[in-house]
Amino acid sequence: MLLKQLKEILRTTSGHLNKLKDIGVTTVRDLLLYFPRTYTDRSDLTKIVDLSTEEVNTVKGILTHLSTIRTRNGKFITKGMLTDDTGTVEVVWFNQPHLKRILYNEAEVVLMGKAKYAYGRLSLLSPSYELLKNEMVHSERIVPVYHETEGITSKWIREKIKPLIDDWAGGFEEYLPDEIIKNHNLLSYSDSVKNIHFPESEETLKKAVERLSFDELFLLQLKALQKKWYWQKISSKDEKKIPQNIDLIKEFLSKLPFDLTNAQKKTLAEILRDLENPYPMHRLVQGDVGSGKTVVAAAAILNTVKAGFQCALMAPTEILAKQHYQTLAKFLLPYGINIQFISGSTTQKNKDEIISQMKKGTVDLVIGTHALIQEKINFKKLGLAVIDEQHRFGVKQRTILKSFGSPHLLSLSATPIPRTLAMTIYGDQDLSVIDELPKGRQEIITRVVPENKRIDAYRWIEDQVRKGRQVFVICPLIDESDVLGVKAVTKEYDYLSEHIFPQFKIGLLHGKLKPADKEQIMKDFKDNKINVLVSTSVVEVGIDVPNATIMLIEGAERFGLSQLHQFRGRVGRGEHQSYCFLFPTSESEDSKKRLSAMVSHSSGFKLAEIDLNLRGPGEIYGIKQSGIPDLKMASLTDSITIEKARIEAQKIIEEDPELLKYPELQEKLKQETDVFVQD
Ligand code: ADP
Ligand code: MG
């Protein structure tokens, strides 16, 4: 019934119907699920003696002395007097000649508007109005405010929705299991829909919001968990099992120059356990920069190769892939593992050779960039694919997985996001968190440097460089046309070379350089042939230069906290005390708050949480790219509801993954498919 077309029911123009269609509303159901954006409380009436010139007044009274005149320049003015038991006030509307047909003398009305003194007396200016009926739609209650689009006002929507609710909202059937409703003391679905539009009270509004938020988070996670269950079921094969070789892992760990942190140990154990399953692992490891994700991946790779499988490791940039290659070679060559590197700049001849080795199964581990998935690649027996900073590939995991023939998949991310948010966005993956830095890591001293201290800072830096240290200078994009930030860095590079550090060797790094040139500059910086490296955000991920101890960030407030934290992670990797200087270009409250968070916190998780609360997930992670769902009611920062919803979703999937006992729920899940951005 709810699927009845609005055009059969609403008495309105086709223009309005088309506009509704534009916002995806064609049926009664759609309209009733078009939830308000916010509310104004108009249940408090103001008496005429108490009229305020500051705030919007809601006044009830009798209209008299109505008249509409036309001024010399063709404008309409409608005037009248409003009287209640405390007094009388003049009311004036400008240019609303249609009022003549709606309002009449002796009408009982509720007016809402600001009052103003003009010609020595108080007037209500162009108030909105509603004729008094038994049940008020626009006043004397908590009034819903809807997103307005051109030609469709909030008031119009209110008027249309109100009668529909009374007639139809009862038709929204309950789909949540009774037990969940009882456990969490939730309002029924139909009552929630009713009350979300025209709440009986603050209290019921709160209950309606609570219920509808719960639903969104619950359905989202239920869907993710169902997807995961299904994926595991269809891709289950005994040949996928990779047994743990405890002795080998012990030997590997005992030969490291350090002990793993507890968080690393736990993560490694989780991965090794996953590898033993007949279905592909789908695990995301989140850990701050420097938390030691690579060595954990190396142990998993070693275990996989020695069990007779091949491995692949992908990184988003050539520099990073190279670095991984060097690190892993150090860890794994002693075990006789054949490692190859492949990237866009690998010659065709070498590529062909490596690809043929992959097919034959004579290469154990291939490390590379995008090139790895762009080539027509076939592994003989790929057991494990590791993807570093997967979100930077802009490729859906499933696509990557498919092109690799569904091996076990391990993603590494140094962009920590709060756990509850991760649960909702990456609900179909398992999460490991390395939330502990290796012992003895130094704290990076972070300061916000005001403009009048800039020269002092440069002098101090000069002194550090004389002592042999190296410096990163990061510049933000300054104008839209400068997409790669080339102009900005080049200008900064010229300025620093000519005026500030003419005695030092300055390097310039940006995304427009040829890969080989980039490589050369990074190499020179690593070899300390460059003292100060001026760069765009391309240095963001993973680059390891232990002798670099100063990170200077221009226009720091233009970067998100997570990104600033990534930059800061480029220093503090060696024996020397390291520093991060933030140069803001704006003094706004918001930027002050964010930059001072950088000064007080060193944990990426903590900063991610603060960023999330300050800016919201869409702003930070980008709705489309990250697969963050566009939720109507729920907040992705509402960790309590997320947690509750997660637990209930898990219970149901464990007990009845196909929802055979819950047909209404299964149906609802299907309807809501389009809400979920993630593939
Ligand atoms: P990330 O998590 O940022 O990828 P890396 O894996 O690059 O971090 O590790 C950073 C550095 O810390 C490397 O030089 C690595 O060898 C070292 N490292 C890793 N684990 C430990 C540990 N438990 N104790 C000391 N150093 C460690
Ligand atoms: Mg890394």
Side-chain angles (χ1 to χ4, degrees), residues 228-244:
K228 177 173 158 189
W229 168 82
Y230 181 69
W231 164 247
Q232 293 183 343
K233 192 177 105 155
I234 58 159
S235 45
S236 220
K237 270 199 197 127
D238 275 349
E239 303 95 272
K240 289 217 160 94
K241 291 185 185 172
I242 300 172
Q244 289 191 41

Side-chain angles (χ1 to χ4, degrees), residues 45-105:
L45 291 178
T46 306
K47 292 291 181 193
I48 286 174
V49 279
D50 298 327
L51 281 178
S52 153
T53 53
E54 304 285 304
E55 277 156 40
V56 173
N57 306 282
T58 304
V59 208
K60 184 157 89 172
I62 307 280
L63 264 184
T64 55
H65 300 85
L66 278 170
S67 68
T68 296
I69 57 159
R70 201 166 173 173
T71 63
R72 245 172 297 162
N73 46 19
K75 301 240 160 80
F76 290 96
I77 296 180
T78 306
K79 283 189 182 176
M81 304 299 280
L82 182 75
T83 305
D84 71 1
D85 51 5
T86 66
T88 296
V89 64
E90 185 183 50
V91 191
V92 184
W93 286 275
F94 300 101
N95 266 331
Q96 302 189 40
H98 61 281
L99 288 177
K100 268 197 299 201
R101 277 174 279 123
I102 299 167
L103 301 175
Y104 51 90
N105 284 324

